[in-house]
Amino acid sequence: MDNEISTQPHGMEDVEIQEWLESLDSVLESSGPEVAAEILERLRAHATVNGIDLPFTANTPYANTIPPRLEPLFPGDQELERRIKSLIRWNALAMVVRANRVEHNIGGHISTYASAATLYEVGFNHFFRARTEEFEGDTVYFQGHASPGMYARAFLEGRISAQKLENFRRELKPGGGLSSYPHPWLMPDFWEFPTVSMGLSPLMAIYQARFNRYLEDRGLKPVTDAKVWAFLGDGETDEPESLGAITLASREHLDNLIFVINCNLQRLDGPVRGNGQIIQELESAFRGAGWNVIKVLWGSEWDPIFERDTEGLLIKRMGQTVDGDYQKLVVSSGAYVREHFFGSDPRLLQLVEPLPDEALRRLRLGGHDPRKVYAAYKAAVDHRGCPTVILARTIKGYGLGEAGEGKNVTHQQKKLNEDELREFRSRFGIPLNDVDCIEVPFYRPAEDSAEIQYLRARREALGGYVPKRSIRSKPLVADHDDLFKEFHEGSDGREVSTTMAFVGMLRKMLKDPEIGKLIVPIVPDEARTFGMESLFRTVGIYSSVGQRYEPVDVNTLLYYKEAKDGQILEEGITEAGSMASFIAAGSAFATHGINTIPFFIYYSMFGFQRIADFIWAAADMRTRGFLLGGTAGRTTLSGEGLQHQDGNSHILALPVPNNKAYDPAFAFEIAVIIQDGIRRMYKDGENVFYYITVMNEPYAMPPMPGDVKDGILQGMYRFRPAVNTKAKLCAQLFGSGAILNEALRAQEILETKYGVAADVWSVTSYKELYKNGIECERWNRLHPSEKARVPYVTKCLADAPGVLVAASDYLKTLPNMISKWMPRRLAALGTDGFGRSEGRAALRDFFEVDSRFLTLATLHELFVDGKIERSVLDKAIKDLGINADKPNPAIS
Ligand SMILES: Cc1ncc(C[n+]2csc(CCOP(=O)(O)OP(=O)(O)O)c2C)c(N)n1
Ligand SMILES: [Mg+2]
C-alpha cells in the first residue's frame, strides 16, 4: 500500500506521453473506438517487428470496462427499484434471522444475497424474460447461497406466502416450507436448476447454452435471442469445473451466454485472493479464453474522480492494491481511506481533496450501482460473437454494518442483535419502528403500493415470474413395440456384445418416426470403442459450423461427418461436459417443452466414480434419459487394469433415489428396459432416469425365454431352470451381466459332474430388488395389522429348492444386500478389490467369479448344509484347478 507511484518510465517526459494520449483522444473523437483500436493494434505489430518486447497481458487496467460516456440511460425508476430492493434485503435477512431464532443452527445465508442484491434486481426488473407460450424465456442459474433473496422477491410478488418464508429450511413443517437452496426435486414449480454444489452450474450453463443452439440448428426449436445467465461466486471459480469449459463457450460463439461473477472478494473462510486480485485473474483467464469481459468495479461516484485523474495515477494505484487491502478499505471510515489509499501519493490526495470523509466512505462499488450494472447487462445482451462475463465488484454482507459487512466471518452470519437490526432497518429505510423491527417481521407493502405495482408491472413486461419451473412437453403416444421386437429374438448364434446390441437399438430408434429426431446420442470420444462409428455417417456429428474441411477418411463408408444438423453430441474427452449435455437434453421437457431423449454412453468407470455430483444434480433436476456405462464389469473389460475396470458403479448408483440401475446380460433384456424406460419417462412422465451397464464381451444372444418382461424390470427372473427336476441336490444360481454366462456354465458342470440341479436366474437389477425389499419392510412395520407385503425376491424364491449362490462383476455387497429376503443363506461372489491388466479368464479366476468358483461355492454351501462330504470339496478344488492359496483379490 505504500509504494510510491511513478508514471515516468525510463525518464520519459510527461509532455511526450501527453501528446500520445491526446492524439489517441482525437482519433477516438473523430473516428470512433474501432479505428482507435485498429491503430493500437497496428502500433503493437509495428513495435514487435522493431524488436520491442511487449509483455503479454490479457488484463486491462483495474477500471470499469464501460466508460461513463458509453453508459445507456437507466430505463427504470431508480428510487422505486431501490425501495423494492431494500424490502427484499430486509425479508431475506428476516427469513434467516427468524429461522435461527426458532431453531438454533438451522443455518442460512445473509451475506451472499446482501452482496448480490443489485446484480439480481437489475436482472429481475430489466432483463430476465419469463417462459411464455410465445417465447422460450431466458434461463437463469441463481447462485445457491443467494436463495433467500429469490424467496424474498417471490414473497413480494405474491408467489410465496409468509408462512412459507417463516418455514425457510423447515420443509417438513405443516403447510410446507422452503428448501435451503435451489432444488427442483423439492420445489418443482419454482426452481429449475440445482446450483449449490459449487462449480456445477457454470459448466451446466455453458452446455445448456450450447444445447439451445443444437436444438435450433436441428430445427427442434425456433431460433431466438434467449439468454442463459449464470450467477456465480468469485470463490466458486476455484472449482475446476467452473472454468473448465469456458473455451467451449467461446469456440462455439455462445453469445447467448452471460456469466455474472459476484466479486465480493470473499469466500467462506476469508478473502478469495488476499494477496492478489481475483478480478484481474479472472479477467485474464476469460479474455485468454476468448470471452467478452466487462468489469464493473466502481460506482458512479468515482466517475468525477477518475475524470480529474489525467495522469492515470488512480488506476495505477487501484491496480497495485491487493484484495486483502480492498476488503478492509471498503468497510473503513473515510478518514482511513484517505490516509491509507489516497495517502500513498500527494497527487492522489489532491484528487479527493474536495470530498469530505463521509463522501469518501460512500463511494460505491460498481456491483452496488444499478446504473453500472444495467450498462454491463445491456452491453452483454447486445454483444455478438462470443459469451460475456461480467465481473462485478461488491461487498460481502453489504449493509450489515458491524454485524458482518466485509468481515471474514460474514458468510456464516445468521444472527443480528437489536442494535444491528435497527441499523440495518434505518440504512435501508424499512418502515418499522424501533420496537417492531427487533421482532424482524416480514414486510410486504399493500397490494396497491407503488412498490408492488411497479414490481408486478416490470415482471409483466418481461413475460411473468422467474424462477418458475413447469412441464410444457406433451407426452409421447406410441408404444414402440415394433421398434424393439426384433431384439427379443436373439442373435441366432452370432456372437455380439451387449454394447453392439444397444448400438443396434440406438440405430433403430434414430429412424423411428416419433422418437427418431428426439434421440440425442452423447459420447465423450469413445464412439469407436462402442462400435458407434456407423452413426457418424448416418446421423452426423453436431457442429455449429458444419464441416469446414475434407475429412481424411472421406472416401470410406463411415467417414467422420460433422454437420450443422448433426445429431450426435461428440463432446471430446469430458465426462463432466457430456453429463452437462445429458442434463440439458434430459431436462428439455421442462426447459423447452421438448422431449429430447439423451443416451450418454461412456466408459463406465468414469461415470458414477468421476462425475457423481453431476449425476446427483441431474437427479435433483428430474432429468430423464439413459446413462450407458460401456465397457463395464471388473472382469469383463480385459487388459485395461485397475483404473478402467469398473466393479463399482452399481454400488455408486445405489444412493441416487430416482435412478434405475440395470446390469443386463442379453439384448432382449436391454430392449425391454429401454422400451419401458421411454414409456415411463416420456409417456407417463415419471421422474426417473436410467443407468444401464453394457459390456464388450461377445457371445450369442439368446431369444427371450417366454414372457419375462416383468421379471427383467423388477430385477430378476428365472432364465434357465434345471433339467433334472427330481435331483436330491439342488441350487439356485444368480448371475448378472456377462457373469450370467459363468452361472450357465456352472449349471452344466454342477449337473454333469456333481449331480446338482441348479436353476439359473438373471438378476438384472439388485438395486430394484433392494428398493422393493426395503419398501415392503417399511410398509409392514407401519401397518402391523394388515396383510404383510412380500418382497419380490421372496416371492420369486418361494418354491426354489437348494442352496443359493450369486455372482456379479461388482462388489459382493450387491447380492448381500438382498439376501435377507431370500429363504436361506446366500453365498455371494463378486469383484471386490483392484482390477488387473489381464484377460477375462485370468481376471475371473483372480476375482473368483468364474464358473469354477460358482461350482465350488455351490458345493461348499451343500457341504455346510450337510448334503455332501468334505472330500467332495477337496476333490472339486483339485478337479476344477483352483489354487486355494492364491492371494485374496479384495485386498491385493
Ligand atoms: C462443491 C462445494 N464445496 C463447498 C461448498 C460450501 N460453501 C458454500 S458457500 C461457500 C463459499 C462461497 O464463496 P463464493 O463462491 O465467493 O460466494 P459468495 O457467498 O462470496 O458470493 C462454500 C465454501 C459448496 N456449497 N459446494
Ligand atoms: Mg465471494
Side-chain angles (χ1 to χ4, degrees):
M1 298 258 344
D2 42 13
N3 295 347
E4 182 67 19
I5 299 169
S6 161
T7 55
Q8 296 185 349
H10 311 297
M12 193 186 238
E13 291 301 320
D14 261 0
V15 56
E16 216 171 317
I17 291 192
Q18 212 46 49
E19 275 172 16
W20 278 83
L21 293 176
E22 274 165 20
S23 54
L24 188 69
D25 281 348
S26 92
V27 173
L28 250 180
E29 208 162 292
S30 58
S31 312
E34 273 171 26
V35 176
E38 168 77 22
I39 291 174
L40 287 173
E41 204 40 61
R42 293 272 290 276
L43 262 180
R44 168 183 279 278
H46 191 71
T48 309
V49 169
N50 285 287
I52 298 172
D53 185 16
L54 289 173
F56 168 76
T57 174
N59 276 125
T60 61
Y62 201 85
N64 290 345
T65 305
I66 302 174
R69 67 188 162 79
L70 295 183
E71 273 172 29
L73 270 184
F74 187 81
D77 181 329
Q78 221 180 316
E79 175 51 23
L80 256 185
E81 289 190 20
R82 192 189 61 76
R83 269 162 40 205
I84 293 167
K85 183 167 63 186
S86 295
L87 293 174
I88 297 174
R89 285 181 185 283
W90 173 261
N91 287 317
L93 172 133
M95 283 174 71
V96 179
V97 173
R98 290 178 74 85
N100 284 276
R101 279 185 183 174
V102 177
E103 177 102 1
H104 178 63
N105 272 346
I106 196 81
H109 299 84
I110 297 172
S111 299
T112 299
Y113 179 72
S115 69
T118 301
L119 302 180
Y120 285 114
E121 278 306 291
V122 172
F124 279 121
N125 284 322
H126 303 285
F127 290 94
F128 307 156
R129 292 162 299 176
R131 306 192 194 287
T132 64
E133 286 300 312
E134 297 77 39
F135 178 63
E136 64 178 291
D138 295 322
T139 297
V140 189
Y141 292 75
F142 296 97
Q143 199 185 345
H145 295 82
S147 62
M150 312 314 133
Y151 292 139
R153 172 167 249 274
F155 169 65
L156 289 195
E157 290 166 347
R159 299 200 290 150
I160 285 184
S161 67
Q163 190 198 13
K164 284 258 167 88
L165 284 202
E166 188 73 32
N167 292 339
F168 174 53
R169 290 186 163 231
R170 307 296 303 275
E171 296 188 86
L172 303 178
K173 282 267 186 192
L178 299 173
S179 73
S180 51
Y181 304 118
H183 292 302
W185 186 264
L186 304 176
M187 294 176 62
D189 302 327
F190 193 81
W191 295 117
E192 292 183 293
F193 304 100
T195 51
V196 81
S197 175
M198 290 189 298
L200 301 194
S201 73
L203 193 117
M204 291 197 295
I206 290 173
Y207 281 85
Q208 178 73 57
R210 208 274 304 253
F211 187 71
N212 293 0
R213 289 279 161 79
Y214 169 91
L215 289 176
E216 289 172 359
D217 287 339
R218 290 198 47 226
L220 291 173
K221 83 168 184 69
V223 176
T224 73
D225 68 347
K227 303 287 178 196
V228 175
W229 295 78
F231 286 79
L232 333 177
D234 48 358
E236 180 171 12
T237 60
D238 279 337
E239 289 287 0
E241 294 90 346
S242 297
L243 306 188
I246 59 174
T247 52
L248 170 93
S250 42
R251 190 163 66 245
E252 290 292 312
H253 306 290
L254 297 180
D255 50 21
N256 57 345
L257 176 66
I258 299 164
F259 273 14
V260 181
I261 307 187
N262 176 16
C263 296
N264 53 28
L265 314 187
Q266 286 181 246
R267 43 180 161 75
L268 191 152
D269 284 339
V272 179
R273 293 285 183 277
N275 294 309
Q277 293 180 322
I278 184 63
I279 290 176
Q280 296 300 89
E281 185 179 322
L282 289 173
E283 176 185 43
S284 63
F286 279 96
R287 286 189 85 206
W291 285 52
N292 173 40
V293 179
I294 302 177
K295 293 195 286 194
V296 187
L297 310 187
W298 310 108
S300 306
E301 297 80 4
W302 286 89
D303 290 339
I305 309 178
F306 283 120
E307 214 157 287
R308 289 198 287 276
D309 177 32
T310 49
E311 294 174 273
L313 289 173
L314 183 55
I315 285 189
K316 195 156 189 184
R317 177 81 179 100
M318 285 166 163
Q320 289 170 339
T321 304
V322 294
D323 287 355
D325 283 329
Y326 272 132
Q327 189 187 342
K328 181 152 189 205
L329 283 165
V330 292
V331 291
S332 297
S333 69
Y336 183 95
V337 173
R338 192 184 305 276
E339 183 188 342
H340 289 87
F341 184 75
F342 295 98
S344 64
D345 188 304
R347 290 168 293 175
L348 283 175
L349 272 178
Q350 230 174 6
L351 289 178
V352 289
E353 203 157 47
L355 296 176
D357 283 354
E358 187 50 23
L360 270 191
R361 201 180 65 81
R362 285 177 178 279
L363 292 174
R364 266 179 313 174
L365 294 181
H368 295 301
D369 183 341
R371 285 174 183 278
K372 300 285 183 196
V373 173
Y374 178 84
Y377 286 6
K378 177 89 174 56
V381 163
D382 292 344
H383 188 76
R384 293 290 170 268
C386 68
T388 293
V389 57
I390 292 161
L391 302 172
R393 250 199 86 180
T394 61
I395 299 172
K396 189 143 179 169
Y398 185 72
L400 288 181
E402 277 309 300
E405 193 166 57
K407 297 196 169 154
N408 279 333
V409 295
T410 196
H411 187 81
Q412 285 164 313
Q413 179 62 287
K414 303 170 204 330
K415 292 181 180 160
L416 275 75
N417 66 32
E418 294 183 4
D419 285 343
E420 291 163 347
L421 280 171
R422 287 194 191 105
E423 197 187 313
F424 190 91
R425 179 267 336 248
S426 304
R427 178 162 180 181
F428 293 108
I430 310 299
L432 290 170
N433 67 33
D434 276 3
V435 179
D436 290 347
C437 96
I438 58 175
E439 293 303 318
V440 226
F442 299 123
Y443 184 85
R444 185 171 187 270
E447 197 57 43
D448 59 2
S449 64
E451 288 89 345
I452 299 293
Q453 293 294 314
Y454 182 88
L455 171 132
R456 283 196 189 284
R458 286 313 309 148
R459 287 315 313 165
E460 216 164 284
L462 290 159
Y465 296 114
V466 172
K468 184 167 178 287
R469 182 181 177 278
S470 63
I471 296 169
R472 293 173 303 147
S473 66
K474 303 265 178 304
L476 295 181
V477 288
D479 59 17
H480 307 110
D481 272 343
D482 289 344
L483 206 161
F484 291 98
K485 216 164 54 200
E486 89 173 59
F487 300 99
H488 299 171
E489 312 294 328
S491 63
D492 236 354
R494 205 164 51 89
E495 295 201 331
V496 293
S497 66
T498 47
T499 307
M500 286 164 75
F502 160 70
V503 173
M505 285 171 222
L506 183 61
R507 210 175 288 131
K508 208 154 171 219
M509 284 186 275
L510 284 163
K511 291 192 190 127
D512 183 83
E514 186 185 37
I515 60 171
K517 60 184 183 308
L518 299 172
I519 303 285
V520 182
I522 304 169
V523 62
D525 200 30
E526 296 286 357
R528 292 182 200 280
T529 313
F530 305 129
M532 289 167 67
E533 60 269 44
S534 66
L535 297 180
F536 290 169
R537 176 72 189 272
T538 45
V539 296
I541 296 164
Y542 172 68
S543 154
S544 56
V545 294
Q547 192 152 34
R548 289 173 169 170
Y549 61 96
E550 183 175 281
V552 64
D553 50 2
V554 72
N555 294 323
T556 64
L557 197 61
L558 307 177
Y559 78 89
Y560 196 83
K561 180 182 156 195
E562 301 196 54
K564 200 165 161 93
D565 62 352
Q567 198 159 352
I568 301 171
L569 286 173
E570 161 67 88
E571 301 293 15
I573 310 166
T574 166
E575 284 75 15
S578 306
M579 189 63 204
S581 280
F582 178 85
I583 292 172
S587 57
F589 68 93
T591 320
H592 295 291
I594 301 170
N595 280 319
T596 36
I597 309 172
F599 285 86
F600 169 26
I601 184 163
Y602 54 87
Y603 237 108
S604 75
M605 193 61 155
F606 306 131
F608 275 91
Q609 178 128 325
R610 186 167 179 132
I611 51 162
D613 205 19
F614 278 104
I615 297 176
W616 189 251
D620 188 346
M621 265 177 79
R622 299 161 180 255
T623 304
R624 297 172 184 169
F626 297 89
L627 299 173
L628 280 301
T631 49
R634 185 102 69 207
T635 67
T636 302
L637 175 60
S638 63
E640 291 286 354
L642 78 84
Q643 199 125 42
H644 287 70
Q645 289 161 344
D646 170 33
N648 309 350
S649 62
H650 278 289
I651 303 290
L652 301 175
L654 286 174
V656 186
N658 52 347
N659 178 263
K660 292 167 96 66
Y662 286 93
D663 184 11
F666 301 128
F668 67 82
E669 295 179 353
I670 300 176
V672 168
I673 294 163
I674 291 182
Q675 183 184 356
D676 189 62
I678 291 175
R679 175 189 64 78
R680 279 176 189 274
M681 295 186 285
Y682 294 95
K683 219 169 154 183
D684 299 350
E686 279 188 43
N687 291 303
V688 293
F689 67 120
Y690 283 71
Y691 176 54
I692 304 174
T693 38
V694 287
M695 281 75 69
N696 64 352
E697 181 175 353
Y699 44 83
M701 291 293 152
M704 183 152 69
D707 189 6
V708 291
K709 284 184 188 169
D710 188 53
I712 294 171
L713 297 172
Q714 294 215 49
M716 69 188 280
Y717 67 96
R718 198 187 324 247
F719 173 69
R720 194 166 81 187
V723 184
N724 180 359
T725 49
K726 307 230 163 60
K728 288 221 177 67
L729 299 176
C730 296
Q732 306 297 315
L733 304 182
F734 308 98
S736 314
I739 299 299
L740 183 59
N741 286 318
E742 298 292 339
L744 290 168
R745 278 192 278 277
Q747 182 187 39
E748 282 162 26
I749 300 171
L750 284 162
E751 169 108 38
T752 52
K753 296 224 171 110
Y754 302 95
V756 180
D759 293 343
V760 173
W761 297 75
S762 175
V763 180
T764 50
S765 176
Y766 280 107
K767 183 173 179 181
E768 285 298 298
L769 298 175
Y770 175 69
K771 283 199 318 199
N772 167 266
I774 56 174
E775 191 181 314
C776 291
E777 271 185 355
R778 173 182 176 273
W779 197 89
N780 294 343
R781 193 161 44 240
L782 294 173
H783 306 89
S785 46
E786 294 188 45
K787 188 164 172 257
R789 289 186 180 169
V790 181
Y792 177 71
V793 177
T794 311
K795 279 191 217 158
C796 285
L797 300 178
D799 303 317
V803 296
L804 313 174
V805 179
S808 87
D809 226 358
Y810 296 85
L811 304 195
K812 297 180 176 95
T813 296
L814 276 184
N816 278 332
M817 73 187 182
I818 60 159
S819 66
K820 63 170 165 170
W821 301 302
M822 293 184 166
R824 291 172 297 283
R825 189 183 69 244
L826 173 74
L829 306 184
T831 58
D832 301 52
F834 283 128
R836 289 289 188 282
S837 301
E838 254 301 352
R840 282 184 195 115
L843 284 166
R844 287 176 188 165
D845 172 50
F846 178 74
F847 281 103
E848 303 163 13
V849 290
D850 64 13
S851 57
R852 299 168 313 143
F853 280 93
L854 269 155
T855 303
L856 178 62
T858 309
L859 295 176
H860 185 262
E861 291 304 299
L862 288 166
F863 162 72
V864 173
D865 280 359
K867 298 272 168 64
I868 60 173
E869 300 293 324
R870 187 192 304 270
S871 57
V872 181
L873 286 184
D874 291 336
K875 188 165 179 322
I877 289 177
K878 228 159 131 206
D879 291 350
L880 293 166
I882 287 173
N883 173 7
D885 297 317
K886 66 189 275 299
N888 177 0
I891 52 164
S892 58

